[in-house]
Structures are given as structure tokens and as C-alpha cells.
Amino acid sequence: MLLLAVDTATPAVTVALHDGDSVVAEAGQVDARRHGELLLPTIDRVLAEAGLKLDAVTGVVVGVGPGPYTGLRVGLATAETFGLVLGVPVHGLCTLDGLAYAAGIAGPFAVATDARRKEVYWARYADARTRVGEPAVDRPADIAEQLAGLPVVGSGALLYPEAFPDARGPEHQSAGALASLAAEKLAAGDAGGFLAPLPLYLRRPDAQVPKNYKVVTPK
């Protein structure tokens, strides 16, 4: 097994290779505006570090979000393209699940990432491998009471400490954690534990067609 994991649903452009036992190589960079520029060079760097070629990959793992429209689609489009070219399966996982797995917290907690517009993408977890319910997007103040007393992991928690006083790391997504979670599921035969490699936006894109714009027709 050789899994190539990518995630661009957050400001972190992160890539990892996993051989079924452990992470072979991992690299990433936090830059919310350059997902398209950074992803392919990061994949090349990870493959070079591992001394492997792309055709050695037997499966692709991709974070499906939630995340902003532009960044998220970069990783998904790349993952689907590699899957088609290599003829290998593409396994989707919730980006928040990767952060939860990396946190390694045994008891109940939550994960929150920055959704911009003074909101967070968030979900609750029974433990590092078990999400409770579906991800959502809300203002921190609106969910502070629901999450009172719980540790909250991720950049969204660290950005709003007044709403999440027990904010913890990791701050950013790790493709290594996402790949490790996927490898566990595959080893356990948990094929149903994956999501389709489709974007989980939770809200409409920031870019909108202007309302009441003037239509120009030829004379």
C-alpha cells in the first residue's frame, strides 16, 4: 500500500505519503492564497523525499472540507485527476476528522477551523476517531455554550479564545494524520468510512454574480 494524501481545505497546503504502517514523507505550507501554485510542487517534493515515483501510489486520500470554495477545489481536482490517471481509488475524508485524529484526545472535544466572515467550521467528537454528527458553520459566540467545558482544537478555536477558552493545537491540518486515519480504515476493511471525493462547502461561494447587472446586447 502507498497512499498519497492531500488537503487544501484550510490555509495549509499539506501532502503526505503513507505505506500502510507509517508516514513515509510529509510536507506542507500555510498560505491561504496560493493553493494552486503550491500543491503540485509539494507533491513532487514529498515523492522525491521518499525516493518514489507517482506510479507507485496505490490510493489517493483527499480532505473534502469543509472549507472555502477556491482552496478546497484545488485539492479535490488534483486528487481526482491522479486517481483517473493512475487508475487507483480516491478516498474522501472530512478535513476536521484529520485534525481530530492528530489531536489524539481520548474524551469528548470539538474541532473548529477558520471559515472567515467571523465564522468557524466545526464538529464534535467522542474521541479522536469518532465524530458526533455532521460538520457545521456558525459564529463562535453562537456555539460557545454548546461547547462549554470541552477542549476545542484547530485554528478556529485559537482565533476566538473568548468563545473557546480551552483552545488547543494542532492549529493546522496534517496530510500525514489524514493518511494515517485512512490507512487504519483500510486495514480494518472500513470502506464505508470514506466519503465521496466531493466538496463539502456548507455555504455558497464568496464570489457571486452581481444582482441587477446591465445586460448588453448587440444592436
Side-chain angles (χ1 to χ4, degrees):
M1 178 191 296
L2 185 67
L3 299 175
L4 171 67
V6 301
D7 198 318
T8 59
T10 71
V13 177
T14 177
V15 177
L17 286 171
H18 196 290
D19 64 5
D21 293 317
S22 61
V23 175
V24 177
E26 182 175 9
Q29 185 171 334
V30 178
D31 190 327
R33 297 181 179 275
R34 298 176 61 218
H35 293 82
E37 296 173 45
L38 294 173
L39 182 56
L40 290 178
T42 304
I43 292 172
D44 287 342
R45 187 161 70 251
V46 167
L47 288 166
E49 181 182 332
L52 296 167
K53 294 185 180 296
L54 186 60
D55 59 10
V57 169
T58 60
V60 180
V61 180
V62 61
V64 303
Y69 177 79
T70 304
L72 178 54
R73 66 179 179 171
V74 170
L76 283 163
T78 301
E80 289 197 87
T81 300
F82 282 3
L84 286 171
V85 170
L86 298 172
V88 300
V90 180
H91 307 291
L93 285 174
C94 175
T95 294
L96 302 180
D97 292 357
L99 279 159
Y101 185 89
I105 299 174
F109 68 103
V111 173
T113 59
D114 183 16
R116 304 173 187 171
R117 302 186 192 175
K118 298 181 180 179
E119 293 179 329
V120 294
Y121 297 118
W122 68 282
R124 295 183 66 149
Y125 291 81
D127 55 51
R129 293 171 176 80
T130 311
R131 178 159 36 88
V132 180
E134 297 300 318
V137 58
D138 288 289
R139 289 184 176 272
D142 293 341
I143 59 173
E145 187 175 344
Q146 295 181 56
L147 303 183
L150 293 179
V152 185
V153 171
S155 61
L158 296 166
L159 192 59
Y160 300 102
E162 68 284 356
F164 312 119
D166 191 1
R168 303 186 186 184
E171 180 176 1
H172 296 294
Q173 174 69 307
S174 158
L178 203 68
S180 296
L181 178 59
E184 278 193 12
K185 289 179 177 292
L186 290 169
D190 184 16
F194 292 106
L195 302 173
L198 299 172
L200 185 60
Y201 292 130
L202 299 188
R203 68 184 184 200
R204 295 179 63 82
D206 291 335
Q208 301 287 337
V209 176
K211 294 181 179 179
N212 302 318
Y213 63 91
K214 182 177 180 181
V215 178
V216 178
T217 57
K219 293 183 179 179

